[in-house]
Amino acid sequence: MGGRALLLYQSQGNDVKMSTLMIDARSVSTGLGTYTINLVRGLNKCNDFTFRLITAPQGKPLLERLCDDIITVTAPIYSLREQFEIPWAARNCDVLHVPHYNIPLAYSKCLLVTIHDLNHILDRSFRRTVKSWVYAQPMLRWAALRADHIFTGSQYSKRQIMEHLGAADQKITVAYHGVSAHLFPEPREQSRLEINRDFAFDGPYVLFVGNLKPNKNVAGLLNAFAKARARHALPHKLLIIGDDAVGRPAMLKLSLELGLEGTTVFVSRVTDVKLRSAYSGADVTVLPSFEEGFGLPVLESMACGTPVACSRAASLPEVGGNAAEYFDPKDQDSICDALERVLLSNDLRAEMRSRGLQQARRFTWHACSELHHNIYRTFLMNSARSN
């Protein structure tokens, strides 16, 4: 079990000083949670240091299977309370890893942080909000300044962190995310029929997976999809899996204005098994984002044998490689053209499925975990020496 491991230590006579890693694992149900949980799983296979977890009550049942040393706190992410509860929970550890930019400012020991993206600085719709001005942008800058080391998910994000937050090259490790073991191709026709039945629509479909925040450019996708249907009388529906309390009403309204009522299906959340079926049964997955720190749905779709059309922007070309069909996210005609190229060519879809499966195999959580573990070891050893 996690929390039980060979310990990095410094011996002084009969006294042994053990160095301990603490991870803030309060988020388990989002993309951030996927990242954190896979890091913790990887730690269970690492036997040269000990680790502990901080989590919220709702996350404890899942994490108990991965670690036997857990501290539960009730402070929500981004709250004032976390600035007091997290440093207190981590007071006896030597290295703290916060897998997001919401660092505890009062924590004085070795701090590792993951900065997944700079949406609050790079994306206009984010950076103009009060939350961004008051909280996100200052915290991102403090995190980059305060952290002893920074993890991020792409070379693109590393460049942005260096440019906009002033972090040095050697202070940042790029650790590409991986494909979870539960994602693999299912029989396509069977999966499509199951998704049709479960979400009460019929026929082939185009898939989007992600939240409805402005940087995801769902509005651009809706407009492009409406154009493609009008040009070619496509039988496809558009299945949107993801939610955002602020963005959902606007997207529902736009779909009605574009005449997509009954053609666009919005689903807030699905299980891992149902997500695999949704990917496997789609004709194409589309990710039209303006900004992405990594773009996990690109890999997930490819791992399920489904072609991907995505933006030639931000980190997405790093992830999609030569297996995706690219478009300009700011040009609705470009999105539409890419959709048509994929949907109207059986040969292209077959070729993209093959290339996509190969591309997805290049990204593993094992490789991601190993990069993290190397950094953990370095700072835990430094801590042991200093004590």
Side-chain angles (χ1 to χ4, degrees):
M1 286 288 291
R4 167 212 59 76
L6 283 174
L7 310 178
L8 290 167
Y9 66 91
Q10 177 175 298
S11 179
Q12 299 175 340
N14 294 325
D15 296 327
V16 175
K17 170 62 181 177
M18 296 178 293
S19 294
T20 305
L21 169 71
M22 179 77 84
I23 299 176
D24 181 355
R26 284 176 294 156
S27 179
V28 296
S29 61
T30 62
L32 173 59
T34 299
Y35 164 76
T36 306
I37 288 169
N38 278 285
L39 286 186
V40 174
R41 283 201 181 104
L43 285 171
N44 275 321
K45 301 172 184 176
C46 178
N47 62 0
D48 58 354
F49 57 84
T50 190
F51 70 99
R52 298 171 180 167
L53 301 179
I54 301 170
T55 193
Q58 60 270 27
K60 190 174 181 181
L62 172 61
L63 292 170
E64 280 178 330
R65 291 176 278 174
L66 303 173
C67 180
D68 54 17
D69 195 346
I70 296 176
I71 297 174
T72 303
V73 302
T74 58
I77 292 175
Y78 309 128
S79 69
L80 179 61
R81 280 172 47 207
E82 74 177 353
Q83 292 297 322
F84 301 95
E85 293 188 25
I86 300 304
W88 178 254
R91 67 192 181 279
N92 293 323
C93 77
D94 300 282
V95 176
L96 172 64
H97 179 197
V98 179
H100 200 27
Y101 65 83
N102 57 319
I103 63 167
L105 298 172
Y107 183 74
S108 59
K109 297 181 183 179
C110 180
L111 178 66
L112 313 180
V113 63
T114 303
I115 298 177
H116 296 273
D117 58 59
L118 295 190
N119 287 341
H120 284 281
I121 293 174
L122 300 176
D123 189 273
R124 183 188 310 175
S125 60
F126 277 95
R127 67 174 181 259
R128 289 180 172 177
T129 64
V130 172
K131 175 186 173 183
S132 183
W133 275 101
V134 173
Y135 182 87
Q137 293 184 44
M139 284 296 285
L140 280 164
R141 292 186 170 91
W142 287 331
L145 179 66
R146 168 65 184 84
D148 292 278
H149 200 78
I150 299 168
F151 299 104
T152 194
S154 64
Q155 293 293 338
Y156 168 79
S157 289
K158 178 176 180 175
R159 291 193 299 271
Q160 302 310 311
I161 291 167
M162 292 171 63
E163 178 181 348
H164 295 278
L165 302 183
D169 181 294
Q170 63 271 20
K171 188 177 179 177
I172 308 170
T173 293
V174 174
Y176 288 118
H177 296 184
V179 178
S180 298
H182 68 272
L183 292 167
F184 52 83
E186 294 180 348
R188 195 177 73 82
E189 189 63 21
Q190 178 183 325
S191 295
R192 182 183 66 78
L193 291 173
E194 288 179 3
I195 293 300
N196 286 170
R197 180 195 65 221
D198 290 345
F199 301 129
F201 69 95
D202 63 294
Y205 60 93
V206 171
L207 178 65
F208 168 86
V209 176
N211 62 54
L212 306 182
K213 296 183 185 300
N215 69 298
K216 299 293 185 180
N217 192 25
V218 179
L221 173 57
L222 286 167
N223 277 283
F225 180 67
K227 286 185 177 183
R229 279 182 57 87
R231 284 182 189 175
H232 298 280
L234 295 172
H236 294 74
K237 306 294 193 299
L238 174 60
L239 175 59
I240 294 176
I241 298 179
D243 208 353
D244 173 59
V246 176
R248 184 181 179 88
M251 294 304 100
L252 288 171
K253 182 179 181 220
L254 178 59
S255 67
L256 290 174
E257 291 172 351
L258 292 171
L260 296 176
E261 184 178 9
T263 301
T264 303
V265 181
F266 289 85
V267 178
S268 296
R269 185 170 293 180
V270 297
T271 65
D272 288 344
V273 172
K274 195 55 62 181
L275 181 61
R276 181 177 69 224
S277 296
Y279 279 128
S280 296
D283 277 0
V284 62
T285 299
V286 187
L287 196 63
S289 305
F290 298 123
E291 283 292 335
E292 285 286 351
F294 185 77
L296 196 54
V298 171
L299 275 192
E300 292 179 337
S301 181
M302 289 179 176
C304 292
T306 294
V308 171
C310 66
S311 302
R312 191 181 294 279
S315 64
L316 295 181
E318 285 182 64
V319 181
N322 69 348
E325 187 72 17
Y326 292 103
F327 53 75
D328 179 355
K330 297 178 182 178
D331 184 345
Q332 293 172 9
D333 285 327
S334 178
I335 303 173
C336 180
D337 291 344
L339 275 174
E340 291 171 352
R341 286 193 297 272
V342 177
L343 294 177
L344 298 176
S345 174
N346 293 331
D347 290 342
L348 178 58
R349 288 200 303 278
E351 181 183 346
M352 291 180 70
R353 289 188 188 104
S354 177
R355 292 203 308 259
L357 287 167
Q358 293 177 29
Q359 179 72 0
R361 293 188 192 106
R362 297 179 57 237
F363 295 82
T364 68
W365 283 116
H366 173 74
C368 181
S369 294
E370 279 299 303
L371 286 168
H372 284 75
H373 296 172
N374 291 339
I375 299 298
Y376 292 158
R377 291 184 191 101
T378 297
F379 284 98
L380 286 165
M381 289 176 67
N382 289 343
S383 174
R385 292 191 191 102
S386 65
N387 290 307

